[in-house]
Amino acid sequence: MQMTSEDLIEVSTFTWPKGFYADSTHAGLKQDSDDMGWIYSEAPADAAGVYTTNQFQAAPTKLTKQTINLAHQLQAVVMNSGNANSCNGNQGEGDALMMQKMTADRLQIQPELVGIASTGVIGEPLPMAKIKDGISHLKLTKNSGLTKAILTTDTHAKTITVKCMVDGHEVTTTGFCKGSGMIHPNMATMLGFVTTDAAIEGNHLQELLSSTVDETFNQITVDGDTSTNDMVVVMANGAAGNQPLQEDSQDYPTFVMAFKKVLAHLAQEIAGDGEGASKLVEVNVTGADSHLEGQQVAKAIVGSNLVKAMIFGKDGNWGRIMQAIGQTTAHVDVNGVSVSINGLQLVKNSLGTGIDDDKVTKTLEQKKVTIDVDLNVGEFSGTAWGCDLTYKYVQINASYRS
């Protein structure tokens, strides 16, 4: 049997790729946990990024975008939680630049090689004395504390390490992210970081990141709100020793598969850890007129508050799903739609199948709920991820600053 790229990929225990270091510290931005950290590469790494589309793009996000766009290179990213440094005007932009310079001075590298990431409360000035003190305590370690230091309302760190072989060299790709509420990306409210010791030029990395984000992070939603801050940044330092990857490289498909596995895992981790969520929801749409329409319908279903509340209440009210489909502009066979939940068919030819409500309630008790929809108009598909809507979501966001 011929091996596929998937067969050549190994999900490993969390580890940093060759040539990367990371650390975290408690700077006092949050009360009782680490709230600052950095990633550092021994050599400048090729870099790529995608960024929030919110019009009030935060100062750290704008600065990182400008920095990466200079030459698609980074050697470090410094980050903090507890304060977004967003909507702070000229002061916020100056503070982001100062944060970049202080980090560069500490690492003895050029400021143009330092990215900045911040997350937390919007509209409060960044306490620069605490930021300076935090940077002074960061070291070049290999610990994983950074994956927790960036969290806000998340319940756990979200990480993955994947290994594969490229040109006979073992390549390690490690990702981590934060994100729980204000999640409705294009790009939005999460910080995601991917490090790899593969060699791949920045322009190729940017193309790969942008296309993969469209299929992963941009297909999750928790509450329909897009944040001001967030981004996904990738650094590839080439320490594995492979020849620089290009689209016609023999092992390029294997690396792409590994890269997509990292981003898809992180996206689902965010969706399943939505604020107050009790279930991960996956929607798979088939029979679409185009891939774009399949993606559109999947995200509309997973983003519908009525569907999310239905799932939380374990109520097999399939009409909620039908209305979510119908309010899109996608092509639909209005007399031929099918809907199933966890393999139980609720709708066939756009009519209820009369399945026993108790069976549906029982299956909705599972921690993962999979909704399959056939639009019956084409050969394309789409997938999106989200979560249910619970009472706890309101509790968390009613007291976010306190």
Side-chain angles (χ1 to χ4, degrees), residues 27-201:
L29 301 170
K30 296 192 295 191
Q31 288 186 355
D32 55 4
S33 62
D34 282 2
D35 47 29
M36 279 201 71
W38 65 17
I39 307 168
Y40 172 75
S41 173
E42 288 178 343
D46 287 281
V50 289
Y51 315 92
T52 180
T53 56
N54 192 295
Q55 293 186 70
F56 294 102
Q57 195 175 79
T61 310
K62 287 194 290 186
L63 180 58
T64 298
K65 182 177 181 179
Q66 292 165 6
T67 301
I68 289 178
N69 285 347
L70 289 174
H72 278 285
Q73 280 200 327
L74 287 178
Q75 196 165 356
V77 181
V78 64
M79 54 200 77
N80 72 273
S81 57
N83 187 304
N85 190 15
S86 177
C87 297
N88 288 323
N90 291 335
Q91 178 180 343
E93 293 183 5
D95 288 344
L97 281 166
M98 181 59 68
M99 193 171 171
Q100 184 184 54
K101 185 178 186 305
M102 288 189 296
T103 303
D105 289 346
R106 172 97 167 114
L107 291 168
Q108 298 184 320
I109 61 177
Q110 294 299 310
E112 293 79 12
L113 292 173
V114 179
I116 311 293
S118 299
T119 184
V121 177
I122 294 170
E124 294 185 1
L126 203 60
M128 293 307 293
K130 293 181 178 180
I131 293 292
K132 182 178 181 180
D133 183 64
I135 291 172
S136 72
H137 283 90
L138 292 173
K139 300 178 176 63
L140 299 183
T141 70
K142 291 278 191 177
N143 69 50
S144 61
L146 177 60
T147 64
K148 297 180 180 178
I150 61 171
L151 305 184
T152 50
T153 57
D154 308 65
T155 65
H156 63 272
K158 302 168 176 67
T159 67
I160 184 174
T161 295
V162 173
K163 296 179 182 291
C164 65
M165 298 300 293
V166 176
D167 289 344
H169 299 272
E170 184 180 69
V171 164
T172 300
T173 303
T174 289
F176 67 102
C177 65
K178 62 80 54 177
S180 188
M182 215 187 300
I183 302 286
H184 190 67
N186 192 19
M187 266 301 299
T189 185
M190 21 150 305
L191 296 179
F193 305 96
V194 179
T195 56
T196 180
D197 49 25
I200 177 171
E201 293 179 359

Side-chain angles (χ1 to χ4, degrees), residues 108-395:
Q108 298 184 320
I109 61 177
Q110 294 299 310
E112 293 79 12
L113 292 173
V114 179
I116 311 293
S118 299
T119 184
V121 177
I122 294 170
E124 294 185 1
L126 203 60
M128 293 307 293
K130 293 181 178 180
I131 293 292
K132 182 178 181 180
D133 183 64
I135 291 172
S136 72
H137 283 90
L138 292 173
K139 300 178 176 63
L140 299 183
T141 70
K142 291 278 191 177
N143 69 50
S144 61
L146 177 60
T147 64
K148 297 180 180 178
I150 61 171
L151 305 184
T152 50
T153 57
D154 308 65
T155 65
H156 63 272
K158 302 168 176 67
T159 67
I160 184 174
T161 295
V162 173
K163 296 179 182 291
C164 65
M165 298 300 293
V166 176
D167 289 344
H169 299 272
E170 184 180 69
V171 164
T172 300
T173 303
T174 289
F176 67 102
C177 65
K178 62 80 54 177
S180 188
M182 215 187 300
I183 302 286
H184 190 67
N186 192 19
M187 266 301 299
T189 185
M190 21 150 305
L191 296 179
F193 305 96
V194 179
T195 56
T196 180
D197 49 25
I200 177 171
E201 293 179 359
N203 59 332
H204 296 308
L205 191 62
Q206 185 64 60
E207 291 173 4
L208 176 59
L209 175 63
S210 297
S211 63
T212 307
V213 159
D214 280 343
E215 300 295 315
T216 55
F217 288 118
N218 282 349
Q219 284 300 108
I220 60 175
T221 184
V222 169
D223 48 21
D225 291 316
T226 298
S227 176
T228 60
N229 276 60
D230 300 320
M231 57 185 152
V232 176
V233 170
V234 183
M235 298 170 67
N237 67 5
N242 65 286
Q243 290 295 312
L245 282 159
Q246 299 184 31
E247 288 188 10
D248 59 356
S249 299
Q250 180 177 348
D251 291 328
Y252 185 73
T254 300
F255 176 74
V256 169
M257 187 73 71
F259 188 81
K260 289 182 176 180
K261 195 175 192 72
V262 169
L263 267 64
H265 174 83
L266 295 178
Q268 291 178 64
E269 280 280 283
I270 289 175
D273 193 35
E275 288 174 339
S278 66
K279 306 177 194 303
L280 169 65
V281 181
E282 178 176 295
V283 177
N284 299 304
V285 174
T286 58
D289 189 58
S290 68
H291 177 59
L292 181 62
E293 290 193 1
Q295 296 286 80
Q296 175 191 2
V297 172
K299 197 167 184 181
I301 296 169
V302 85
S304 165
N305 283 338
L306 290 175
V307 173
K308 291 153 71 69
M310 174 199 97
I311 291 170
F312 171 62
K314 294 175 285 191
D315 176 20
N317 185 357
W318 52 266
R320 303 299 197 193
I321 300 171
M322 297 296 281
Q323 65 82 27
I325 298 169
Q327 68 185 0
T328 72
T329 58
H331 294 82
V332 175
D333 179 354
V334 294
N335 296 312
V337 170
S338 297
V339 176
S340 298
I341 295 180
N342 289 347
L344 298 177
Q345 188 166 18
L346 279 66
V347 178
K348 183 177 181 180
N349 294 327
S350 299
L351 299 173
T353 60
I355 194 166
D356 188 274
D357 280 345
D358 289 340
K359 288 184 179 180
V360 182
T361 298
K362 184 69 175 175
T363 198
L364 287 174
E365 293 176 355
Q366 297 182 37
K367 291 293 290 182
K368 181 178 180 180
V369 173
T370 301
I371 300 174
D372 294 305
V373 172
D374 185 353
L375 302 179
N376 200 34
V377 291
E379 299 178 356
F380 296 90
S381 61
T383 298
W385 300 275
C387 60
D388 56 347
L389 180 62
T390 71
Y391 306 126
K392 195 171 180 181
Y393 175 85
V394 177
Q395 292 176 332

